[in-house]
Amino acid sequence: MRDGAIDVLPAAVAVVPFALLLGALAAQKGISVPEMVLMSATVFAGSAQFVAVDIWREPVPWLLLTVTALMINLRHLLMGASLAGKIGHFGTGTSLIALFTMVDETWALAERRAARTKLSATYFLTMGLILYVNWIGWTGLGAALGGLIGDPSRYGADFAFPAIFLTLLVGLWQGPRTGVAIAASAIVAALVYLSFEGPWFIAAGGIAGALAGAVIGPADEAVTETVE
């Protein structure tokens, strides 16, 4: 539990400005604090929520919102597949809870830890629960404060999110194979972003990175069976 809390703490801090901004944008679209809290508690996906708030209007375009959220979160299929063999010993119920709380940050941290030792449910769920409660709380506060927050980029806080992902990438580095997968993902995502409207570049980049990793083959590294 302690290791999970320590590992996820930087990510929990990094998402604060974006959670506040999301809540503020939602308030400007007429979304109430309880509605914001409910959205964060049920969706728990920052990028999908930002897009949902952006296209939010009356009447609510439920079909468009649903399709857009699914399209953005297609990468979770790849992330879940990569973790399947590493959390299979959790049991069905615990695995489902772990996957519900899985976001980019917890996935990357779990993969990094799985490269060193066997994942424990306590470690994974501790990270997920901290980020889950953290996200709900700060997005709700952002909705309550509304326009008082303004644009966090004027404080330089917008760099926190890219910084945490760059840090996670460094932690996942396993040599040239990792570089090839990252390069393939970045190039395809950029090309799709420049060629097509909508969030297709997110799924395209994820698929390209996964295919590149599959083609060049995973590194064969022994992992101790000790659960920490």
Side-chain angles (χ1 to χ4, degrees):
M1 181 179 293
R2 179 175 176 273
D3 288 348
I6 292 174
D7 286 352
V8 84
L9 181 59
V13 174
V15 302
V16 169
F18 291 91
L20 289 171
L21 175 61
L22 175 63
L25 293 174
Q28 294 170 13
K29 289 294 186 80
I31 298 174
S32 66
V33 174
E35 289 171 337
M36 185 71 255
V37 169
L38 180 61
M39 177 191 288
S40 294
T42 54
V43 180
F44 188 42
S47 55
Q49 287 182 251
F50 267 103
V51 174
V53 168
D54 183 55
I55 62 179
W56 190 277
R57 61 179 182 271
E58 292 292 344
V60 178
W62 293 110
L63 180 59
L64 177 62
L65 286 173
T66 302
V67 172
T68 302
L70 288 175
M71 188 167 57
I72 292 174
N73 289 324
L74 276 177
R75 70 189 190 284
H76 282 236
L77 290 176
L78 300 173
M79 293 156 60
S82 76
L83 283 178
K86 299 157 189 165
I87 65 173
H89 58 284
F90 287 6
T92 302
T94 305
S95 294
L96 291 176
I97 296 173
L99 291 174
F100 174 75
T101 64
M102 181 188 71
V103 291
D104 299 296
E105 295 87 346
T106 54
W107 170 80
L109 291 168
E111 286 286 357
R112 187 180 68 179
R113 188 173 180 87
R116 303 194 307 266
T117 185
K118 190 174 182 179
L119 278 180
S120 72
T122 301
Y123 176 83
F124 200 106
L125 293 177
T126 298
M127 292 194 303
L129 181 61
I130 289 175
L131 277 188
Y132 183 68
V133 173
N134 184 64
W135 181 251
I136 294 173
W138 286 109
T139 52
L141 180 61
L145 296 176
L148 294 177
I149 297 175
D151 185 357
S153 63
R154 61 180 172 173
Y155 309 114
D158 54 324
F159 184 70
F161 220 45
I164 189 64
F165 277 101
L166 289 173
T167 303
L168 293 174
L169 280 178
V170 172
L172 290 172
W173 185 265
Q174 296 181 6
R177 291 186 178 87
T178 308
V180 173
I182 292 173
S185 178
I187 292 171
V188 171
L191 291 175
V192 173
Y193 176 78
L194 294 173
S195 304
F196 301 96
E197 293 185 357
W200 292 103
F201 66 95
I202 298 175
I207 293 172
L211 290 176
V215 169
I216 60 178
D220 296 326
E221 294 184 357
V223 175
T224 177
E225 293 296 319
T226 302
V227 178
E228 297 181 359

